[in-house]
Amino acid sequence: EAGVVQSPRYKIIEKKQPVAFWCNPISGHNTLYWYLQNLGQGPELLIRYENEEAVDDSQLPKDRFSAERLKGVDSTLKIQPAELGDSAVYLCASSPGQGSSTYEQYFGPGTRLTVT
Amino acid sequence: AQKVTQAQTEISVVEKEDVTLDCVYETRDTTYYLFWYKQPPSGELVFLIRRNSFDEQNEISGRYSWNFQKSTSSFNFTITASQVVDSAVYFCALSEAVDNFNKFYFGSGTKLNVKP
């Protein structure tokens, strides 16, 4: 079974430029998460989807961040414009449960973003 | 306040030593879930275990064991006879219900260095 796929793995951009990350969850997983992980810290949730509905986006900086999950499968996270402080690893995860985070999450390899 | 506290930032042991990683959590829920994840240098978080709040039985899986104690709000992880391949950052996480859906909280992680 294929795991969570993310691309790109690495991205270097200049500040004020836009950037997008893509995630393909494990087949059949209804719940999809985007996390931000700063160096030396644990993942912090940005947004959670149940199918195509964003059920928790309270931690998403909506002035510059946006996300979508069309058709309830793949998802895209966008930052526009990027700031220096956005440099981090962006993780995507999926889980088989719907309507609950009680199920374990399966993580992708992440996208390491560097903003210069 | 931190929902999940991993007080040990970094631990170094010599191969074959036993090592315990501490995790203390905070919640008012009676139903919650606890998790441990491993993040090797490659970066991908790997699910290790999930426990629910009603099951305080300790669990053993090979060289790994987990000690869940509700009385002290702790969910500690022990690796017996550590190996170099165990070197990674280990995260403890808590899932609890907030506003009719579950939120997921990660600790800041404990970096384990196993030296040959």
Side-chain angles (χ1 to χ4, degrees), chain B residues 26-64:
Chain B
E26 178 185 333
T27 181
R28 294 181 180 179
D29 283 7
T30 55
T31 301
Y32 52 90
Y33 293 79
L34 296 162
F35 304 79
W36 275 96
Y37 284 84
K38 174 182 180 180
Q39 189 173 40
S42 60
E44 195 163 331
L45 280 115
V46 177
F47 165 75
L48 295 178
I49 189 171
R50 177 187 67 171
R51 304 294 284 176
N52 73 56
S53 52
F54 297 107
D55 183 0
E56 287 193 72
Q57 279 193 349
N58 291 330
E59 184 159 336
I60 298 175
S61 176
R63 297 183 297 106
Y64 295 170

Coordinates of all heavy atoms in Angstrom, one line a residue, chain B residues 26-64:
Chain B
E26 N -1.9 16.6 29.7 CA -2.9 17.4 30.5 C -4.2 17.4 29.7 O -4.3 17.8 28.5 CB -2.5 18.8 30.7 CG -3.4 19.7 31.5 CD -3.0 21.1 31.6 OE1 -1.7 21.3 31.6 OE2 -3.8 22.0 31.7
T27 N -5.3 16.9 30.3 CA -6.6 16.9 29.7 C -7.7 16.9 30.8 O -7.5 16.3 31.8 CB -6.8 15.8 28.7 OG1 -8.1 15.9 28.1 CG2 -6.6 14.4 29.4
R28 N -8.9 17.4 30.4 CA -10.0 17.3 31.3 C -11.0 16.3 30.8 O -12.0 16.0 31.5 CB -10.7 18.7 31.4 CG -9.9 19.7 32.1 CD -10.6 21.1 32.2 NE -9.8 22.1 32.9 CZ -10.2 23.3 33.1 NH1 -11.4 23.7 32.7 NH2 -9.4 24.2 33.7
D29 N -10.7 15.8 29.6 CA -11.6 14.8 29.1 C -11.5 13.4 29.8 O -10.4 13.1 30.3 CB -11.3 14.5 27.6 CG -11.8 15.6 26.7 OD1 -12.3 16.6 27.3 OD2 -11.7 15.5 25.5
T30 N -12.5 12.7 29.8 CA -12.4 11.3 30.4 C -12.1 10.3 29.3 O -11.6 9.3 29.5 CB -13.8 10.9 31.0 OG1 -14.8 11.1 30.1 CG2 -14.0 11.8 32.3
T31 N -12.4 10.7 28.1 CA -12.1 9.9 26.9 C -11.0 10.6 26.1 O -11.3 11.7 25.6 CB -13.3 9.6 26.1 OG1 -14.3 8.9 26.9 CG2 -12.9 8.6 24.9
Y32 N -9.9 10.0 25.9 CA -8.9 10.6 25.1 C -7.9 9.5 24.6 O -8.0 8.3 25.0 CB -8.1 11.7 25.9 CG -7.5 11.2 27.2 CD1 -6.3 10.6 27.3 CD2 -8.3 11.3 28.4 CE1 -5.8 10.2 28.6 CE2 -7.8 10.9 29.6 CZ -6.6 10.3 29.7 OH -6.1 9.9 30.9
Y33 N -7.1 9.9 23.7 CA -6.1 8.9 23.1 C -4.7 9.4 23.2 O -4.5 10.6 23.1 CB -6.5 8.6 21.7 CG -7.8 7.9 21.5 CD1 -9.0 8.6 21.7 CD2 -7.9 6.5 21.3 CE1 -10.3 7.9 21.6 CE2 -9.1 5.9 21.2 CZ -10.3 6.6 21.4 OH -11.5 5.9 21.3
L34 N -3.8 8.5 23.4 CA -2.4 8.9 23.5 C -1.6 8.1 22.4 O -2.0 7.0 22.1 CB -1.8 8.5 24.8 CG -2.4 9.4 26.0 CD1 -2.2 8.7 27.3 CD2 -1.9 10.8 26.0
F35 N -0.6 8.7 21.8 CA 0.1 8.2 20.7 C 1.6 8.4 21.0 O 2.1 9.3 21.6 CB -0.2 8.8 19.4 CG -1.7 8.8 19.1 CD1 -2.6 9.7 19.7 CD2 -2.2 7.9 18.1 CE1 -3.9 9.7 19.3 CE2 -3.5 7.9 17.8 CZ -4.4 8.8 18.4
W36 N 2.4 7.5 20.4 CA 3.8 7.8 20.2 C 4.2 7.6 18.7 O 3.7 6.7 18.0 CB 4.7 6.8 21.0 CG 4.9 7.2 22.4 CD1 4.2 6.8 23.5 CD2 5.9 8.0 22.9 NE1 4.7 7.3 24.7 CE2 5.7 8.1 24.3 CE3 6.9 8.8 22.4 CZ2 6.6 8.9 25.2 CZ3 7.8 9.5 23.2 CH2 7.6 9.6 24.5
Y37 N 5.0 8.6 18.3 CA 5.6 8.5 16.9 C 7.1 8.6 16.9 O 7.6 9.2 17.8 CB 5.0 9.7 16.1 CG 3.6 9.6 15.7 CD1 2.6 10.0 16.5 CD2 3.3 9.2 14.4 CE1 1.2 9.9 16.1 CE2 2.0 9.0 14.0 CZ 0.9 9.4 14.8 OH -0.4 9.3 14.4
K38 N 7.7 8.0 15.9 CA 9.1 8.1 15.8 C 9.4 8.9 14.5 O 8.8 8.7 13.5 CB 9.7 6.7 15.6 CG 11.2 6.6 15.3 CD 11.6 5.1 15.1 CE 13.1 5.0 14.8 NZ 13.5 3.6 14.6
Q39 N 10.4 9.8 14.6 CA 10.8 10.6 13.4 C 12.3 10.4 13.2 O 13.1 11.1 13.8 CB 10.5 12.1 13.6 CG 10.7 12.9 12.3 CD 10.2 14.3 12.4 OE1 10.4 14.9 13.5 NE2 9.6 14.8 11.4
P40 N 12.7 9.5 12.3 CA 14.1 9.2 12.1 C 14.7 10.4 11.3 O 13.9 11.3 10.9 CB 14.1 7.9 11.2 CG 12.7 7.9 10.6 CD 11.8 8.6 11.6
P41 N 16.0 10.4 11.1 CA 16.6 11.5 10.3 C 16.0 11.7 9.0 O 16.1 12.8 8.5 CB 18.1 11.0 10.3 CG 18.3 10.2 11.5 CD 17.0 9.5 11.7
S42 N 15.4 10.7 8.4 CA 14.8 10.9 7.0 C 13.6 11.8 7.1 O 13.2 12.4 6.1 CB 14.4 9.5 6.5 OG 13.4 8.9 7.3
G43 N 13.0 12.0 8.3 CA 12.0 13.0 8.5 C 10.6 12.6 8.6 O 9.7 13.3 9.0
E44 N 10.3 11.4 8.1 CA 8.9 10.9 8.1 C 8.5 10.4 9.4 O 9.1 9.5 10.0 CB 8.8 9.8 7.0 CG 7.3 9.5 6.6 CD 7.3 8.8 5.3 OE1 8.2 9.0 4.4 OE2 6.4 8.0 5.1
L45 N 7.4 10.9 10.0 CA 6.9 10.4 11.3 C 6.3 9.0 11.1 O 5.5 8.8 10.2 CB 5.9 11.3 11.8 CG 6.4 12.6 12.5 CD1 6.1 13.8 11.8 CD2 5.9 12.7 14.0
V46 N 6.7 8.1 12.0 CA 6.2 6.7 11.9 C 5.4 6.5 13.2 O 5.8 6.6 14.3 CB 7.4 5.8 11.8 CG1 6.9 4.3 11.9 CG2 8.2 6.0 10.6
F47 N 4.1 6.0 13.0 CA 3.3 5.7 14.1 C 3.8 4.4 14.8 O 4.2 3.5 14.2 CB 1.8 5.4 13.5 CG 0.9 4.7 14.5 CD1 0.4 5.4 15.5 CD2 0.6 3.4 14.3 CE1 -0.5 4.8 16.4 CE2 -0.2 2.7 15.2 CZ -0.8 3.4 16.2
L48 N 3.8 4.5 16.2 CA 4.3 3.4 17.0 C 3.1 2.7 17.7 O 3.0 1.5 17.8 CB 5.4 3.8 17.9 CG 6.7 4.3 17.3 CD1 7.6 4.8 18.4 CD2 7.3 3.3 16.5
I49 N 2.3 3.6 18.4 CA 1.3 3.0 19.3 C 0.2 4.0 19.6 O 0.4 5.2 19.6 CB 1.9 2.5 20.6 CG1 0.8 1.7 21.4 CG2 2.4 3.7 21.5 CD1 1.4 1.0 22.6
R50 N -1.0 3.5 19.8 CA -2.2 4.3 20.2 C -2.8 3.6 21.5 O -2.9 2.4 21.5 CB -3.2 4.4 19.1 CG -4.5 5.1 19.6 CD -5.6 5.1 18.5 NE -6.1 3.7 18.4 CZ -7.1 3.4 17.7 NH1 -7.8 4.3 17.0 NH2 -7.5 2.1 17.6
R51 N -3.1 4.4 22.5 CA -3.8 3.9 23.7 C -5.0 4.8 23.9 O -4.9 6.0 23.8 CB -2.9 3.9 24.9 CG -1.6 3.2 24.8 CD -1.8 1.7 24.6 NE -2.2 1.1 25.9 CZ -2.5 -0.2 26.0 NH1 -2.6 -0.9 24.9 NH2 -2.7 -0.7 27.1
N52 N -6.1 4.1 24.4 CA -7.2 5.0 24.8 C -7.2 5.1 26.3 O -6.6 4.3 27.0 CB -8.5 4.4 24.3 CG -9.0 3.1 24.9 OD1 -9.1 3.1 26.2 ND2 -9.2 2.1 24.2
S53 N -7.9 6.1 26.8 CA -7.9 6.4 28.2 C -8.5 5.3 29.1 O -8.3 5.4 30.4 CB -8.6 7.7 28.5 OG -9.9 7.7 27.9
F54 N -9.2 4.4 28.6 CA -9.8 3.4 29.4 C -9.0 2.1 29.5 O -9.3 1.2 30.2 CB -11.2 3.0 28.8 CG -12.1 4.2 28.9 CD1 -12.5 4.9 27.7 CD2 -12.7 4.6 30.1 CE1 -13.4 5.9 27.8 CE2 -13.5 5.7 30.1 CZ -13.9 6.4 29.0
D55 N -7.9 2.1 28.8 CA -7.1 0.9 28.8 C -5.7 1.2 29.4 O -4.8 1.7 28.7 CB -6.9 0.4 27.4 CG -6.1 -0.9 27.3 OD1 -5.7 -1.4 28.3 OD2 -5.9 -1.4 26.2
E56 N -5.5 0.9 30.6 CA -4.3 1.2 31.3 C -3.3 0.1 31.3 O -2.3 0.1 32.0 CB -4.5 1.7 32.8 CG -5.1 3.1 32.8 CD -5.1 3.6 34.3 OE1 -4.0 3.9 34.7 OE2 -6.2 3.7 34.9
Q57 N -3.6 -1.0 30.6 CA -2.7 -2.1 30.5 C -1.4 -1.7 29.9 O -1.4 -1.0 28.8 CB -3.3 -3.3 29.8 CG -4.2 -4.1 30.6 CD -4.6 -5.4 29.8 OE1 -4.3 -5.6 28.7 NE2 -5.2 -6.3 30.6
N58 N -0.3 -2.1 30.4 CA 1.0 -1.8 29.8 C 1.1 -2.7 28.5 O 0.6 -3.8 28.5 CB 2.1 -2.0 30.7 CG 2.2 -1.0 31.8 OD1 1.7 0.2 31.6 ND2 2.7 -1.3 33.0
E59 N 1.8 -2.2 27.6 CA 2.0 -2.9 26.3 C 3.4 -3.1 26.0 O 4.2 -2.3 26.2 CB 1.2 -2.2 25.2 CG 1.3 -3.0 23.9 CD 0.2 -2.5 22.9 OE1 -0.8 -2.0 23.4 OE2 0.4 -2.7 21.7
I60 N 3.7 -4.3 25.4 CA 5.1 -4.6 25.0 C 5.0 -5.1 23.6 O 4.2 -5.9 23.2 CB 5.7 -5.7 25.9 CG1 5.8 -5.3 27.4 CG2 7.0 -6.1 25.4 CD1 6.2 -6.4 28.3
S61 N 5.9 -4.5 22.8 CA 6.1 -5.0 21.4 C 7.5 -5.1 21.1 O 8.2 -4.1 20.8 CB 5.4 -3.9 20.5 OG 5.6 -4.3 19.1
G62 N 8.0 -6.3 21.2 CA 9.5 -6.5 20.9 C 10.3 -5.8 22.0 O 10.1 -6.1 23.2
R63 N 11.2 -4.9 21.6 CA 12.0 -4.2 22.5 C 11.3 -2.9 23.1 O 11.9 -2.2 23.9 CB 13.3 -3.8 21.8 CG 14.2 -5.0 21.4 CD 15.5 -4.5 20.8 NE 15.3 -3.7 19.6 CZ 15.5 -2.4 19.5 NH1 15.8 -1.7 20.6 NH2 15.3 -1.7 18.4
Y64 N 10.1 -2.6 22.5 CA 9.4 -1.4 23.0 C 8.3 -1.8 24.0 O 7.7 -2.8 23.9 CB 8.6 -0.8 21.8 CG 9.5 -0.3 20.7 CD1 8.9 0.1 19.5 CD2 10.9 -0.1 20.8 CE1 9.6 0.7 18.4 CE2 11.6 0.4 19.7 CZ 11.0 0.8 18.6 OH 11.7 1.3 17.5

